[in-house]
Amino acid sequence: MRAVLFLLLLPSLAFAQAPGDASPYVPLNHWAMPYVEHLIARGRLVDPTPLTRPFRAADLLRALEGADSARLTTAEWDVVRHLMTELTRRERGPTARLDLHAGGAASSYARRDALRAAGPGHGTVSGGAALTLFFGPVVAVTHPSFDTRLKYDPDWYGKKDRAIAGRSTEAYVSAQLRYAELFFGTLDRNWGPSPVQGILLSDSPYGMDHAALSLGTGGVRLEGLATQLNSLTDTSGAIHNRYMVQHRLWLRPPGRWTVALWEASVLAGVDRQLEPWYLNLLSLGLLAQLNTNTNVNSFVGIDLQRRSSVTLFAQGMLDDIQVDRKTATDRKPASYGLTLGAQGNLAPVNGAWTLFYTRISNLAYRNEDNFQTPIYFGLGTGRNFSDYDQLTLRVSLLTAHSSLLTPEVTLLRQGEGDLHLAHPLVAAYDSTPAFLSGVVERTVRLAVSGQLSAGAWTLAGDGGVHLVHNADHVTGAEKTRWVGRVGIEWRYRWESLIP
């Protein structure tokens, strides 16, 4: 109750303490983001918040305004001007902005991720209306939308027995002071290198409502996020309440480096509440677990990025590594995740390249308490798969008329481990592989995606072939699968002062 009262009172405090205007976030699925990531990879645009997505619109606008027009090609300059027009506010003072969109698509699969293509082929329609309210240092966004694709998506947890499925794509209030932000609502986030989903926090789940607090400057920031995961029922009918808290120290000192140190705690239990000592942004959840003698599933991690002509990035997560080998429980297989990658300018063709390798171990998201897993309505909060590794090379090319082409080659190895499975018993530790269990399915993806944005219209699609060995984890089974999607979207914007 006290947290709710604080949220209600904060807007008045913000007006009293912060002279600047708050800015909404640019959603991860915004039509502009592929262009922005291309320009950052090319070194033509400064990354406003390395290792953190999404951007605030004001931060991205400042980066676009600072782009050196002398280094941009004609096509890149056209994109920069288009984005600046899109992000610039037309009114000052209390303002309402309405963004309408409608579109249609045809696809051979229903899941959002083409690499993990699943679900039936279909034609779909979508649309929505995003209302943004600017009140000085407070911004409020609500974006109800519908998409008939959702009822075919195997990852969608909502109603599927209706002709049209809908959700709130974004819905939040953000109070932004000079050195602090308090946030509550729904917004897709990605913590870690932007070319790949974060290991523990990404846009994998649909609509994860959360409270977030950020304190600091453009060089040092403390960040915290807390959410209630969906409750689960055990075999006796008892309901287990589940929560996740993440803390992060984000550092961008003068120079080329950005570093983020983070930890997370997943709590669960019958009638369990979210204990305040895990919410404390200036304390460590690991110490709270030891000193309060409460049970949680703890994770620690680090993100790194070094910006240069070739930008290097990495993310590592440690769940459980056993050092001693004295008892049977000490033989638990290691639980971890990692990403290593690089990107840079491809000058001869005015393009950019990105290469990364990522791995998630067999038990990375599982826990001895099967309710203490970072899963939100069936989807991992970071990745929706475990026991796999992936090597991907992408090249992005911005051609005339703002068309962006992205060829891709990916090698995926998937073991039979699954984050939805129960944790193995102690007696099974010796026979449980730490990585790539069972029959390993191997997929080679050869594909190209493209996007063309002109005025209020965006045409986007992808197509490729998946060459699968040991398909469906059957030894020797071979499968060739063609996957593709094409869609078109129309947008309209209206903005006016609020009386």
Side-chain angles (χ1 to χ4, degrees), residues 131-304:
L131 177 63
T132 305
L133 301 175
F134 298 89
F135 298 113
V138 178
V139 63
V141 176
T142 179
H143 182 189
S145 64
F146 71 91
D147 189 347
T148 59
R149 179 193 61 82
L150 293 174
K151 65 180 181 179
Y152 305 107
D153 187 349
D155 295 336
W156 172 242
Y157 63 84
K159 288 283 188 179
K160 294 190 177 186
D161 58 352
R162 300 177 180 178
I164 296 178
R167 68 188 186 102
S168 291
T169 310
E170 297 91 36
Y172 62 86
V173 175
S174 173
Q176 299 170 12
L177 315 182
R178 184 175 182 181
Y179 298 117
E181 178 189 3
L182 185 62
F183 174 100
F184 179 76
T186 299
L187 177 69
D188 288 341
R189 297 181 185 267
N190 196 81
W191 281 5
S194 61
V196 62
Q197 283 186 320
I199 293 177
L200 200 60
L201 182 63
S202 78
D203 60 344
S204 173
Y206 280 104
M208 191 169 67
D209 289 277
H210 59 277
L213 175 64
S214 177
L215 302 172
T217 68
V220 180
R221 212 162 53 230
L222 277 172
E223 299 174 309
L225 178 149
T227 186
Q228 180 170 359
L229 306 174
N230 60 299
S231 300
L232 296 175
T233 304
D234 63 22
T235 55
S236 69
I239 298 175
H240 292 248
N241 298 328
R242 304 168 60 245
Y243 308 90
M244 181 177 70
V245 178
Q246 295 195 24
H247 297 157
R248 186 169 78 149
L249 172 62
W250 182 90
L251 304 168
R252 184 169 60 172
R256 301 180 182 274
W257 286 91
T258 304
V259 180
L261 304 172
W262 52 270
E263 65 161 5
S265 303
V266 178
L267 304 74
V270 177
D271 296 327
R272 186 163 189 176
Q273 302 301 311
L274 182 52
E275 293 94 354
W277 42 86
Y278 290 111
L279 288 172
N280 190 341
L281 188 61
L282 299 177
S283 181
L284 293 176
L286 286 170
L287 293 179
Q289 177 186 10
L290 294 173
N291 295 330
T292 61
N293 197 30
T294 51
N295 184 27
V296 301
N297 185 12
S298 297
F299 303 83
V300 295
I302 183 172
D303 306 338
L304 300 167

